[in-house]
Amino acid sequence: MELDLDKSPESRSKEDAAPTVVGIVKEKNDNRVALTPAGISQLQKAKLKVLLESGAGAGASYDDSSYEKQGAEIASGDEIFKKADVITSVGKPDQETLTKLRSGQIFMGLLQPQINPDLIETLRRQNVTAVSLDSINRRLSRAQTMDVLSSQANIAGYKAVLVAADAYGRYFPMMITAAGTAKPASVLVLGAGVAGLQAMGTAKRLGALVFGYDVRPETKTEITSVGAKFIDLGDVSGSGEGGYARALTPEELAKQQDALNAHISRQDIIITTAQVPGKKPPLLVTQEAVKLLKPGSVIVDIAASELGGNVALSKPNETVITENGVVIIGAPNLPSAMPTSASDAFSGNLSSLLSYMSKEGVCGIDTEDEIQRDIVICHKGEIINKAIAELLNEKRG
Ligand code: NAD
């Protein structure tokens, strides 16, 4: 029986409801998988049917049989696109995937609609329902188990420290040995959101001297609570709406960069995590600042992107060694480098969401629901998320 996904689970009668088929597709440029075997067992409780593209879990060390044991069926990629009502993915659909998506199908993944409005417009025109997991309202207490941004940022912050420690030619902790005493490494973390705080805590646990800075002054308590020293830049303040930072004016940013330089020059390791939602990441470590660092210093820029990152010379997914011997690692996708934990967490978030959206084995879209109205970006050919509707209207002029 064809499933009417336009009806909310509540409004669908038991007789017309065939179980929703959830498809898990293999990621193209990521080691993660959207749902792990533990997630399948949760979806079984919600009476949803699961189809896995063969090999989709391999990058995260989950083989097909571990999914079959939890009741998933294995299929080819093409079969998934034909049979599934909901396609689950970590990343956004590429051109090839877009050609396979069917009208009425739901696509769930990290779509970053604010920086990919053209993709949303394409999905809307194809009558695909786009559910963007990164658009969840994290402030709603019942949405916290579904907060993919936090679960993945937490992993990125932890892994950034390990990557930095691996590239650094010295100890992190103070080491007193018969051969002499090694000083502890000095680590500065810029940006004290989920990733930054985790990075500070991890560097502290490795024995480094840790400093933390954020443009939102209210982060001071959080920074000190993870054992880092708060860097106070005086009157540079950029608290925005909803706990996020606002984009600084060019003058404010220049002032901030100058004030940071004095602190940057004393560090061995710098980890940058600063983001402003929907905007280009702020440039915090200038070329001039990099020149102040000692040879062998390491910078890991989690915010590195095609638009630019927090560090002047960082390039996404590349390691640059400067003339003065500073190692700059552009690391925009660290969760993919810790794929099993990252997939476990992603899957926990996604299976909570799918269970929440489902009743009696049927997953439905309800654009009035307080969680869904943010994450459902387009549905039935209309843009549902208000901020994205405004953005697209502005774009159309
Ligand atoms: P994010 O990824 O948007 O940004 C990372 C950090 O960069 C932020 O702390 C931001 O203030 C900082 N930043 C931006 N511009 C900067 C600049 N010019 N200089 C220095 N730092 C700069 O942040 P996030 O991890 O998504 O967290 C954003 C907010 O959401 C925080 O207030 C966090 O506590 C909150 N949050 C709440 C919940 C919840 O309520 N359940 C869950 C997760 C996060």
Side-chain angles (χ1 to χ4, degrees), residues 25 53 75-84 96 100 102:
V25 289
E53 178 176 354
S76 70
D78 286 343
E79 273 175 296
I80 306 254
F81 284 99
K82 271 190 207 126
K83 293 184 182 167
E96 192 196 348
K100 293 182 182 173
R102 291 183 287 110

Side-chain angles (χ1 to χ4, degrees), residues 5 7-9 12 20 106 357-358 362-366 372:
L5 290 162
K7 282 188 194 171
S8 70
R12 215 182 269 132
T20 297
I106 300 176
M357 291 170 68
S358 303
V362 179
C363 174
I365 297 293
D366 177 1
Q372 291 196 45

Side-chain angles (χ1 to χ4, degrees), residues 295-372:
S297 304
V298 178
I299 306 178
V300 177
D301 185 7
I302 295 185
S305 76
E306 297 302 337
L307 302 172
N310 294 153
V311 182
L313 303 167
S314 74
K315 295 203 175 99
N317 303 309
E318 278 186 39
T319 297
V320 175
I321 301 179
T322 65
E323 275 177 18
N324 61 326
V326 175
V327 181
I328 303 176
I329 302 170
N333 192 11
L334 287 172
S336 174
M338 231 176 86
T340 310
S341 290
S343 302
D344 287 344
F346 195 100
S347 168
N349 300 138
L350 183 53
S351 46
S352 289
L353 175 66
L354 283 165
S355 303
Y356 171 79
M357 291 170 68
S358 303
K359 200 166 187 195
E360 291 299 323
V362 179
C363 174
I365 297 293
D366 177 1
T367 55
E368 300 298 313
D369 175 79
E370 66 172 347
I371 292 180
Q372 291 196 45

